[in-house]
Amino acid sequence: MESERNASEILENRQGEALDLSYSSLPGAHKKLYLESYGCQMNFSDSEVVASILASEGYTTTREIEQADLVLINTCSIRENAEQRVRNRLTEFKHLKSNHPEMVVGILGCMAERLKKNLLEEEKLVDLVAGPDAYRDLPNLIAEVGTGQRAVNVLLSREETYADISPVRLDKGGVSAFVTIMRGCDNMCSFCVVPFTRGRERSRDPKSILQECQDLFNAGYREVTLLGQNVDSYRWNMLSKGDIINPEESAMNFAELLCAVAELSPELRIRFSTSHPKDMTNDVLEAIARYKNICNYIHLPVQSGHTDVLSRMNRGYSREWYLERIEAIQRIIPDCAISTDIISGFCGETEEEHQATVSLMNEVVFDYAYMFKYSERPKTLAERKFEDDVPDETKSRRLQEIIELQTKHSAERNRARVGEVYEILVEGPSRRSEEQYCGRNSQNSMVVFDRKNVQVGSYVMVRITSCTSATLIGELVE
Ligand code: SAH
Ligand code: SF4
Ligand code: F3S
């Protein structure tokens, strides 16, 4: 799962004016919402739920913050610097508000959940605070602010999955969409704040997931990414919900869900994130191998290559277990790309333990990696049990070593793809030129090629002719 995107994403509702007309009698009619999101894909997906809840109140979205009646920032707490970035942004909003006193500023997401009332009381940065399970309450919270109060709802839920809410798609492309399949996390990795900000793990009704994927396909989308902090523990118990009587079919696991989504159409690509090494089973791998439209790409965060560090991290697997899972992927799915997350300088990490991460990287040769310096988070097990004792320079130096090695590996992986022909789902113009289109192969590599008269959202065959460390360059195969 990609955490912490560098650029904030400004979101716009493509339905635009139409909503203004049809909701003219609603409380938010003619009001404009500006929504900015940080953090992981789940946060971006939640922003689409928020836009949907507020669209039913009559709000339309705008990209011009100056024009907004309501400014919401959906935030991330995963590392200290993620929170710092949001604080800087909130300070900017505060200045803006001094010229626009009517503007309501609200904070959503993980930082809202972690800091709760502090943001209102001590820091006076915002008017409204809503945690990840409280978005249905936003209309009430906004109304409370309207009466001159500051409003807070940070209750976490054991049930909320927003299953019945049809998200307003805020991306521009119309080709690829996120679909949240579960919320929360029960894992308690010792470094991680997510269980505190997102609450207990719960899965979403597969019927609503399948319906959402079908609706996306009907609207022209050709790729869905199924999201959860630990998708391998997806489980829907049909019996307890009174849906299905046959005990054979009493529960649905992640592999079964993947197959059910894949059956919707061979033209719909399926991706998912994030897998957990301790829970990823062979039946998930076999489902990927069986269906061509389930992409050959797995994000499998390792965090560290040393068993003792993994044990302090409370990850629930050893180095050997992880490497066995990698072997299983390579055995069951021919040409599957693998990416990972790595933390450098976790509590007590010795030079030898760091070198074990380097050696694991050399053994696996990941296609891609997200790499981070350990950042101590309040309330986590690590904060309570261990000392954050690796000096900052050492963390940085180790991180640098890891980044350099990964850059080499990514380039190596890309070079090995030169000469191959891949099916690409066309996403739109490349960043550099309107004359070129880009899209991904099943393995998730970005491929750029001359557009000719190819349609966005279609599948094309592209032969790879060269590469950089981040992108493959190719030509259409007629
Ligand atoms: N659920 C996913 C990860 C979610 S957070 C999983 O279990 O893999 C995304 C990544 O952020 C993690 O994989 C980890 O590498 C990193 N991360 C989480 N907490 C961190 C911390 N306190 N300091 C540095 N990196 C952290
Ligand atoms: Fe955090 Fe671990 Fe849960 Fe991932 S699995 S969200 S790292 S506690
Ligand atoms: Fe950040 Fe919360 Fe996601 S802490 S990584 S936005 S679950």
Side-chain angles (χ1 to χ4, degrees):
M1 179 166 299
E2 183 177 348
S3 23
E4 228 190 293
R5 300 190 181 184
N6 283 332
S8 63
E9 193 146 305
I10 298 163
L11 306 167
E12 187 186 33
N13 175 0
R14 277 175 292 117
Q15 281 151 324
E17 296 298 300
L19 287 172
D20 258 351
L21 294 174
S22 48
Y23 292 100
S24 56
S25 62
L26 292 166
H30 308 299
K31 292 215 166 167
K32 296 250 180 274
L33 159 68
Y34 173 92
L35 181 51
E36 211 172 274
S37 305
Y38 294 82
C40 63
Q41 292 164 335
M42 298 203 70
N43 245 18
F44 283 74
S45 172
D46 280 1
S47 287
E48 302 189 323
V49 166
V50 167
S52 171
I53 290 169
L54 293 174
S56 6
E57 293 288 302
Y59 280 90
T60 55
T61 47
T62 175
R63 305 169 82 173
E64 306 297 329
I65 190 164
E66 302 266 343
Q67 290 173 8
D69 303 285
L70 174 61
V71 172
L72 295 177
I73 179 164
N74 196 356
T75 61
C76 175
S77 289
I78 200 84
R79 284 168 290 277
E80 174 66 35
N81 59 6
E83 290 202 354
Q84 197 46 52
R85 197 171 307 151
V86 170
R87 280 177 196 281
N88 296 344
R89 199 65 184 124
L90 285 174
T91 313
E92 287 170 25
F93 291 170
K94 208 174 168 182
H95 290 306
L96 186 71
K97 209 177 137 115
S98 55
N99 298 325
H100 300 266
E102 295 301 306
M103 185 184 266
V104 174
V105 177
I107 180 167
L108 314 177
C110 292
M111 241 177 115
E113 190 60 51
R114 197 178 82 70
L115 296 165
K116 304 191 168 52
K117 285 195 300 246
N118 294 359
L119 289 157
L120 292 178
E121 288 170 0
E122 286 159 35
E123 311 185 31
K124 296 205 168 33
L125 283 172
V126 293
D127 308 301
L128 177 161
V129 178
D133 288 342
Y135 298 148
R136 282 181 207 270
D137 198 28
L138 276 170
N140 300 328
L141 296 170
I142 295 165
E144 259 179 62
V145 174
T147 66
Q149 302 166 65
R150 290 170 185 262
V152 169
N153 184 344
V154 286
L155 288 176
L156 287 170
S157 156
R158 281 176 174 254
E159 277 101 39
E160 180 64 273
T161 59
Y162 301 110
D164 56 315
I165 292 179
S166 166
V168 169
R169 300 295 160 184
L170 296 163
D171 64 294
K172 294 291 159 359
V175 176
S176 182
F178 296 135
V179 175
T180 297
I181 63 164
M182 57 205 295
R183 302 182 67 84
C185 183
D186 283 351
N187 277 321
M188 300 304 264
C189 301
S190 63
F191 52 79
C192 185
V193 78
V194 172
F196 303 94
T197 62
R198 295 263 166 178
R200 298 304 297 269
E201 180 183 290
R202 66 221 98 123
S203 296
R204 175 179 169 190
D205 185 341
K207 284 205 295 281
S208 76
I209 297 170
L210 289 166
Q211 189 59 54
E212 188 174 329
C213 294
Q214 183 68 57
D215 291 346
L216 283 164
F217 185 76
N218 296 346
Y221 283 80
R222 290 295 174 266
E223 184 174 271
V224 291
T225 303
L226 308 180
L227 296 180
Q229 292 298 353
N230 179 1
V231 290
D232 300 293
S233 60
Y234 176 87
R235 190 164 187 84
W236 182 259
N237 191 335
M238 313 249 190
L239 274 181
S240 75
K241 312 285 173 186
D243 280 356
I244 285 190
I245 320 301
N246 179 356
E248 294 279 292
E249 294 174 17
S250 63
M252 187 179 250
N253 65 21
F254 182 58
E256 290 160 342
L257 177 71
L258 269 181
C259 296
V261 180
E263 289 285 344
L264 291 175
S265 165
E267 297 278 298
L268 180 69
R269 269 187 179 178
I270 296 111
R271 300 188 184 278
F272 55 88
S273 191
T274 304
S275 306
H276 197 299
K278 81 177 160 54
D279 298 320
M280 190 187 66
T281 55
N282 285 358
D283 56 344
V284 168
L285 304 180
E286 281 151 13
I288 301 171
R290 189 163 352 117
Y291 288 90
K292 183 168 161 271
N293 56 331
I294 307 181
C295 290
N296 289 358
Y297 169 61
I298 298 180
H299 181 60
L300 196 67
V302 66
Q303 315 300 359
S304 164
H306 198 289
T307 299
D308 293 350
V309 180
L310 291 169
S311 152
R312 293 200 293 281
M313 288 178 164
N314 201 24
R315 286 286 288 179
Y317 56 86
S318 61
R319 174 190 175 96
E320 290 67 34
W321 173 278
Y322 185 87
L323 288 172
E324 188 283 328
R325 290 289 76 204
I326 295 288
E327 235 176 76
I329 296 172
Q330 291 163 343
R331 185 176 69 243
I332 298 172
I333 313 166
D335 196 15
C336 186
I338 304 172
S339 62
T340 200
D341 291 345
I342 297 171
I343 297 177
S344 83
F346 184 65
C347 308
E349 187 187 67
T350 62
E351 205 53 38
E352 187 199 335
E353 287 169 340
H354 162 65
Q355 284 308 324
T357 299
V358 171
S359 87
L360 181 130
M361 291 173 75
N362 280 321
E363 228 170 287
V364 178
V365 189
F366 293 105
D367 290 79
Y368 193 82
Y370 299 92
M371 295 154 284
F372 313 103
K373 228 174 10 175
Y374 173 60
S375 163
E376 185 177 80
R377 307 311 290 133
K379 282 201 193 160
T380 54
L381 269 172
E383 188 229 20
R384 286 181 278 141
K385 254 175 79 180
F386 306 120
E387 212 180 318
D388 180 12
D389 55 358
V390 177
D392 195 59
E393 316 85 87
T394 311
K395 284 183 186 173
S396 297
R397 197 249 307 145
R398 290 178 187 166
L399 178 64
Q400 203 46 41
E401 259 178 66
I402 287 171
I403 292 174
E404 277 165 26
L405 181 60
Q406 184 53 47
T407 310
K408 199 174 115 217
H409 286 166
S410 296
E412 231 170 75
R413 281 290 189 213
N414 270 353
R415 274 198 301 277
R417 301 197 181 281
V418 173
E420 299 291 323
V421 175
Y422 292 105
E423 186 179 61
I424 308 298
L425 173 59
V426 184
E427 288 179 17
S430 81
R431 250 190 288 172
R432 295 250 175 90
S433 149
E434 284 285 320
E435 292 312 302
Q436 291 195 313
Y437 269 170
C438 65
R440 291 173 191 274
N441 61 2
S442 175
Q443 290 77 5
N444 206 37
S445 338
M446 187 51 94
V447 180
V448 174
F449 53 93
D450 284 344
R451 63 187 282 180
K452 306 223 169 121
N453 42 20
V454 155
Q455 298 293 311
V456 171
S458 67
Y459 289 98
V460 292
M461 299 305 289
V462 174
R463 176 177 293 106
I464 308 306
T465 52
S466 62
C467 67
T468 68
S469 70
T471 316
L472 300 176
I473 298 146
E475 58 194 19
L476 285 166
V477 178
E478 304 293 339

